[in-house]
Amino acid sequence: MNMCELIVKKKRGGRLNEKEIDWIVQGYTAGEIPDYQMSAMLMAICFTGMDEEETKDLTLSMAKSGDLMDLSAIHGKKIDKHSTGGVGDKTTLVIGPLAAAAGVPVAKMSGRGLGHTGGTIDKLESFHGFHTSLTPEQFIKNVNSIHIALAGQTANLAPADKKIYALRDVTGTVDQMSLIASSIMSKKLASGADGIVLDVKTGDGAFMKTLEDSKALAREMVQIGTLAGRDMSAVISDMDQPLGYAVGNALEVKEAIATLNGNGPEDLRELVLVLTSLMVVKAGKAKDIREARILEETLDSGKALQVMKEWIVAQGGTAEEVEHPDLLPQALCQEAVCAEKSGFVTKIHTEEIGRICMLLGGGRAKKGDPIDLSVGLVLRKKVGDPVHSGESLAILHANDREKLAEAKERLLKAYEIKKEPVAVRPLIWKILDGTEAE
């Protein structure tokens, strides 16, 4: 095959077949195709697009470019859950133990936070001693014994995606739907799950800012997974304000524990129950979502909290920090940010909230940056809430007085307060599955 000819073919709107796509992906990963030719191909894809088959073939080729997780030794149907990222999104910390308590084997690969969105591994490392460096044998043993284990993504999991994404990042080719979908799904397919539940965020704090783009991405990923033989569903959920109240690693862990104790925020609880219900149905533990609502009893009874204790202990932590969350990392300074006028909260600039957490030290601008697990903020007011002048909008948790002062100034600007209230956007916009024909 000739790369220049394939670039011209795609530039003119032609369709690349499975063998051509595989040749391109494997050749680029091996260093046989130079960056400048791959850049040209990516730009051609941005201009002319890819159809469903091309997108599926690209995803599968990237997935098989490295290690493919073999989960066959785990009993039962393995269901994975993936979020496209948001602010205050600590759902995995609740969903993992809840699904495991319902008998669903949760064998999960997770990553660290980057940019304004947090990472599950960072949050879990708020538990002293917790680690994700499990051997494959220990990983499988934990899932079979307590129904849950979480590990970091291996360096050789979909290496083609890692290399192609780095090139997209510097060539203006990130925002193409097929390339975004194949990037996410190549890692999910390589992780070995039988079914996947996607939580696709939409709104100010999400990567997809509009509902239309979020629906398009959800459909694309569901179609890829379905064509690859996976049992797929996607929930489009709102990220026009933070999920729950806590933003920051240890603070979010505390809120997740409160939710497992039956005392969590209503929006977090609602989303957790919807996503976990889909997982339970896919695993064959319930006939439909309505029957799966028994999960509310599991959440409120303390069964899921007990699973969290077993999970944390199995990966190096202690149950004591689950029982007494005040033992988790705490910032030295806690300061309220108060409203300067009365009215109703009509908007929270959610991405800015995530960036304020980064400013305080709770996030990283690039991979490898150190983070402070104790810092962040806890909202006191959300969209639709009435607020009086001088009333607290949020509590900042910081270890640096200069950063605290800047964070306070920026947080005031992140809140919009007006005289008249606004309608609160729905939390769940849509649920798609493999039969979705939109």
Side-chain angles (χ1 to χ4, degrees), residues 46-65:
C46 285
F47 285 140
T48 63
M50 300 184 93
D51 65 21
E52 290 178 18
E53 279 294 318
E54 285 179 296
T55 307
K56 181 207 67 169
D57 291 339
L58 175 61
T59 306
L60 292 176
S61 185
M62 290 198 299
K64 72 179 185 182
S65 65

PDB file of all heavy atoms in Angstrom, residues 46-65:
ATOM      1  N   CYS A  46     -10.745  14.835   9.037  1.00  0.00           N
ATOM      2  CA  CYS A  46     -11.502  15.964   9.591  1.00  0.00           C
ATOM      3  C   CYS A  46     -12.362  16.634   8.524  1.00  0.00           C
ATOM      4  O   CYS A  46     -13.480  17.073   8.795  1.00  0.00           O
ATOM      5  CB  CYS A  46     -10.544  16.981  10.214  1.00  0.00           C
ATOM      6  SG  CYS A  46      -9.868  16.478  11.800  1.00  0.00           S
ATOM      7  N   PHE A  47     -11.845  16.716   7.297  1.00  0.00           N
ATOM      8  CA  PHE A  47     -12.571  17.388   6.220  1.00  0.00           C
ATOM      9  C   PHE A  47     -13.665  16.522   5.609  1.00  0.00           C
ATOM     10  O   PHE A  47     -14.746  17.025   5.265  1.00  0.00           O
ATOM     11  CB  PHE A  47     -11.605  17.827   5.119  1.00  0.00           C
ATOM     12  CG  PHE A  47     -10.784  19.033   5.473  1.00  0.00           C
ATOM     13  CD1 PHE A  47      -9.443  19.109   5.128  1.00  0.00           C
ATOM     14  CD2 PHE A  47     -11.345  20.099   6.156  1.00  0.00           C
ATOM     15  CE1 PHE A  47      -8.685  20.228   5.460  1.00  0.00           C
ATOM     16  CE2 PHE A  47     -10.598  21.216   6.490  1.00  0.00           C
ATOM     17  CZ  PHE A  47      -9.261  21.284   6.142  1.00  0.00           C
ATOM     18  N   THR A  48     -13.428  15.209   5.452  1.00  0.00           N
ATOM     19  CA  THR A  48     -14.380  14.361   4.721  1.00  0.00           C
ATOM     20  C   THR A  48     -15.100  13.341   5.595  1.00  0.00           C
ATOM     21  O   THR A  48     -16.061  12.723   5.156  1.00  0.00           O
ATOM     22  CB  THR A  48     -13.669  13.619   3.570  1.00  0.00           C
ATOM     23  OG1 THR A  48     -12.670  12.744   4.115  1.00  0.00           O
ATOM     24  CG2 THR A  48     -13.011  14.598   2.622  1.00  0.00           C
ATOM     25  N   GLY A  49     -14.669  13.154   6.862  1.00  0.00           N
ATOM     26  CA  GLY A  49     -15.361  12.273   7.779  1.00  0.00           C
ATOM     27  C   GLY A  49     -15.086  10.796   7.556  1.00  0.00           C
ATOM     28  O   GLY A  49     -14.359  10.402   6.641  1.00  0.00           O
ATOM     29  N   MET A  50     -15.686   9.981   8.426  1.00  0.00           N
ATOM     30  CA  MET A  50     -15.597   8.524   8.315  1.00  0.00           C
ATOM     31  C   MET A  50     -16.989   7.949   8.530  1.00  0.00           C
ATOM     32  O   MET A  50     -17.759   8.477   9.348  1.00  0.00           O
ATOM     33  CB  MET A  50     -14.643   7.938   9.366  1.00  0.00           C
ATOM     34  CG  MET A  50     -13.222   8.435   9.305  1.00  0.00           C
ATOM     35  SD  MET A  50     -12.141   7.609  10.517  1.00  0.00           S
ATOM     36  CE  MET A  50     -11.499   6.272   9.514  1.00  0.00           C
ATOM     37  N   ASP A  51     -17.327   6.875   7.836  1.00  0.00           N
ATOM     38  CA  ASP A  51     -18.624   6.250   8.074  1.00  0.00           C
ATOM     39  C   ASP A  51     -18.525   5.271   9.247  1.00  0.00           C
ATOM     40  O   ASP A  51     -17.458   5.114   9.865  1.00  0.00           O
ATOM     41  CB  ASP A  51     -19.156   5.579   6.796  1.00  0.00           C
ATOM     42  CG  ASP A  51     -18.301   4.401   6.329  1.00  0.00           C
ATOM     43  OD1 ASP A  51     -17.539   3.825   7.134  1.00  0.00           O
ATOM     44  OD2 ASP A  51     -18.418   4.029   5.143  1.00  0.00           O
ATOM     45  N   GLU A  52     -19.637   4.611   9.575  1.00  0.00           N
ATOM     46  CA  GLU A  52     -19.686   3.721  10.741  1.00  0.00           C
ATOM     47  C   GLU A  52     -18.659   2.603  10.658  1.00  0.00           C
ATOM     48  O   GLU A  52     -17.980   2.281  11.640  1.00  0.00           O
ATOM     49  CB  GLU A  52     -21.089   3.124  10.889  1.00  0.00           C
ATOM     50  CG  GLU A  52     -22.145   4.127  11.314  1.00  0.00           C
ATOM     51  CD  GLU A  52     -23.521   3.485  11.399  1.00  0.00           C
ATOM     52  OE1 GLU A  52     -23.595   2.236  11.461  1.00  0.00           O
ATOM     53  OE2 GLU A  52     -24.517   4.218  11.398  1.00  0.00           O
ATOM     54  N   GLU A  53     -18.546   1.969   9.490  1.00  0.00           N
ATOM     55  CA  GLU A  53     -17.615   0.855   9.328  1.00  0.00           C
ATOM     56  C   GLU A  53     -16.170   1.329   9.464  1.00  0.00           C
ATOM     57  O   GLU A  53     -15.350   0.656  10.105  1.00  0.00           O
ATOM     58  CB  GLU A  53     -17.818   0.177   7.969  1.00  0.00           C
ATOM     59  CG  GLU A  53     -18.975  -0.799   7.932  1.00  0.00           C
ATOM     60  CD  GLU A  53     -18.754  -2.009   8.824  1.00  0.00           C
ATOM     61  OE1 GLU A  53     -17.625  -2.537   8.831  1.00  0.00           O
ATOM     62  OE2 GLU A  53     -19.703  -2.446   9.504  1.00  0.00           O
ATOM     63  N   GLU A  54     -15.854   2.459   8.860  1.00  0.00           N
ATOM     64  CA  GLU A  54     -14.492   2.997   8.977  1.00  0.00           C
ATOM     65  C   GLU A  54     -14.158   3.299  10.438  1.00  0.00           C
ATOM     66  O   GLU A  54     -13.059   2.983  10.915  1.00  0.00           O
ATOM     67  CB  GLU A  54     -14.364   4.281   8.158  1.00  0.00           C
ATOM     68  CG  GLU A  54     -14.267   4.106   6.661  1.00  0.00           C
ATOM     69  CD  GLU A  54     -14.165   5.442   5.958  1.00  0.00           C
ATOM     70  OE1 GLU A  54     -15.128   6.231   6.042  1.00  0.00           O
ATOM     71  OE2 GLU A  54     -13.121   5.700   5.337  1.00  0.00           O
ATOM     72  N   THR A  55     -15.100   3.912  11.140  1.00  0.00           N
ATOM     73  CA  THR A  55     -14.866   4.269  12.539  1.00  0.00           C
ATOM     74  C   THR A  55     -14.667   3.020  13.384  1.00  0.00           C
ATOM     75  O   THR A  55     -13.781   2.964  14.242  1.00  0.00           O
ATOM     76  CB  THR A  55     -16.041   5.102  13.085  1.00  0.00           C
ATOM     77  OG1 THR A  55     -16.289   6.207  12.219  1.00  0.00           O
ATOM     78  CG2 THR A  55     -15.744   5.616  14.476  1.00  0.00           C
ATOM     79  N   LYS A  56     -15.496   1.985  13.129  1.00  0.00           N
ATOM     80  CA  LYS A  56     -15.342   0.721  13.849  1.00  0.00           C
ATOM     81  C   LYS A  56     -13.989   0.095  13.557  1.00  0.00           C
ATOM     82  O   LYS A  56     -13.274  -0.359  14.462  1.00  0.00           O
ATOM     83  CB  LYS A  56     -16.450  -0.261  13.466  1.00  0.00           C
ATOM     84  CG  LYS A  56     -16.364  -1.600  14.201  1.00  0.00           C
ATOM     85  CD  LYS A  56     -16.972  -2.750  13.434  1.00  0.00           C
ATOM     86  CE  LYS A  56     -16.178  -3.076  12.187  1.00  0.00           C
ATOM     87  NZ  LYS A  56     -16.574  -4.342  11.540  1.00  0.00           N
ATOM     88  N   ASP A  57     -13.591   0.071  12.279  1.00  0.00           N
ATOM     89  CA  ASP A  57     -12.320  -0.539  11.898  1.00  0.00           C
ATOM     90  C   ASP A  57     -11.135   0.209  12.517  1.00  0.00           C
ATOM     91  O   ASP A  57     -10.152  -0.405  12.951  1.00  0.00           O
ATOM     92  CB  ASP A  57     -12.179  -0.571  10.375  1.00  0.00           C
ATOM     93  CG  ASP A  57     -13.156  -1.546   9.711  1.00  0.00           C
ATOM     94  OD1 ASP A  57     -13.635  -2.460  10.411  1.00  0.00           O
ATOM     95  OD2 ASP A  57     -13.439  -1.377   8.505  1.00  0.00           O
ATOM     96  N   LEU A  58     -11.224   1.550  12.550  1.00  0.00           N
ATOM     97  CA  LEU A  58     -10.173   2.344  13.174  1.00  0.00           C
ATOM     98  C   LEU A  58     -10.071   2.018  14.663  1.00  0.00           C
ATOM     99  O   LEU A  58      -8.981   1.826  15.209  1.00  0.00           O
ATOM    100  CB  LEU A  58     -10.456   3.836  12.982  1.00  0.00           C
ATOM    101  CG  LEU A  58      -9.499   4.812  13.681  1.00  0.00           C
ATOM    102  CD1 LEU A  58      -8.075   4.636  13.172  1.00  0.00           C
ATOM    103  CD2 LEU A  58      -9.970   6.257  13.492  1.00  0.00           C
ATOM    104  N   THR A  59     -11.215   1.921  15.324  1.00  0.00           N
ATOM    105  CA  THR A  59     -11.245   1.626  16.757  1.00  0.00           C
ATOM    106  C   THR A  59     -10.631   0.266  17.048  1.00  0.00           C
ATOM    107  O   THR A  59      -9.788   0.129  17.946  1.00  0.00           O
ATOM    108  CB  THR A  59     -12.695   1.659  17.275  1.00  0.00           C
ATOM    109  OG1 THR A  59     -13.292   2.909  16.935  1.00  0.00           O
ATOM    110  CG2 THR A  59     -12.737   1.479  18.783  1.00  0.00           C
ATOM    111  N   LEU A  60     -11.058  -0.763  16.310  1.00  0.00           N
ATOM    112  CA  LEU A  60     -10.557  -2.109  16.549  1.00  0.00           C
ATOM    113  C   LEU A  60      -9.061  -2.215  16.257  1.00  0.00           C
ATOM    114  O   LEU A  60      -8.330  -2.920  16.960  1.00  0.00           O
ATOM    115  CB  LEU A  60     -11.336  -3.114  15.701  1.00  0.00           C
ATOM    116  CG  LEU A  60     -12.799  -3.321  16.092  1.00  0.00           C
ATOM    117  CD1 LEU A  60     -13.488  -4.269  15.122  1.00  0.00           C
ATOM    118  CD2 LEU A  60     -12.901  -3.859  17.519  1.00  0.00           C
ATOM    119  N   SER A  61      -8.610  -1.514  15.226  1.00  0.00           N
ATOM    120  CA  SER A  61      -7.188  -1.557  14.892  1.00  0.00           C
ATOM    121  C   SER A  61      -6.354  -0.916  16.003  1.00  0.00           C
ATOM    122  O   SER A  61      -5.298  -1.437  16.380  1.00  0.00           O
ATOM    123  CB  SER A  61      -6.932  -0.849  13.561  1.00  0.00           C
ATOM    124  OG  SER A  61      -5.582  -0.992  13.171  1.00  0.00           O
ATOM    125  N   MET A  62      -6.836   0.209  16.541  1.00  0.00           N
ATOM    126  CA  MET A  62      -6.114   0.846  17.653  1.00  0.00           C
ATOM    127  C   MET A  62      -6.160  -0.025  18.900  1.00  0.00           C
ATOM    128  O   MET A  62      -5.183  -0.127  19.637  1.00  0.00           O
ATOM    129  CB  MET A  62      -6.695   2.232  17.939  1.00  0.00           C
ATOM    130  CG  MET A  62      -6.397   3.246  16.834  1.00  0.00           C
ATOM    131  SD  MET A  62      -6.606   4.971  17.344  1.00  0.00           S
ATOM    132  CE  MET A  62      -8.332   5.016  17.784  1.00  0.00           C
ATOM    133  N   ALA A  63      -7.303  -0.679  19.130  1.00  0.00           N
ATOM    134  CA  ALA A  63      -7.437  -1.548  20.307  1.00  0.00           C
ATOM    135  C   ALA A  63      -6.445  -2.700  20.266  1.00  0.00           C
ATOM    136  O   ALA A  63      -5.839  -3.064  21.281  1.00  0.00           O
ATOM    137  CB  ALA A  63      -8.868  -2.079  20.405  1.00  0.00           C
ATOM    138  N   LYS A  64      -6.245  -3.282  19.106  1.00  0.00           N
ATOM    139  CA  LYS A  64      -5.367  -4.462  19.007  1.00  0.00           C
ATOM    140  C   LYS A  64      -3.902  -4.093  18.770  1.00  0.00           C
ATOM    141  O   LYS A  64      -3.061  -4.969  18.582  1.00  0.00           O
ATOM    142  CB  LYS A  64      -5.851  -5.389  17.898  1.00  0.00           C
ATOM    143  CG  LYS A  64      -5.635  -4.888  16.482  1.00  0.00           C
ATOM    144  CD  LYS A  64      -6.137  -5.902  15.462  1.00  0.00           C
ATOM    145  CE  LYS A  64      -5.820  -5.459  14.041  1.00  0.00           C
ATOM    146  NZ  LYS A  64      -6.326  -6.393  13.022  1.00  0.00           N
ATOM    147  N   SER A  65      -3.578  -2.789  18.831  1.00  0.00           N
ATOM    148  CA  SER A  65      -2.195  -2.358  18.625  1.00  0.00           C
ATOM    149  C   SER A  65      -1.305  -2.693  19.820  1.00  0.00           C
ATOM    150  O   SER A  65      -0.088  -2.588  19.735  1.00  0.00           O
ATOM    151  CB  SER A  65      -2.141  -0.852  18.340  1.00  0.00           C
ATOM    152  OG  SER A  65      -2.570  -0.104  19.468  1.00  0.00           O
TER     153      SER A  65
END
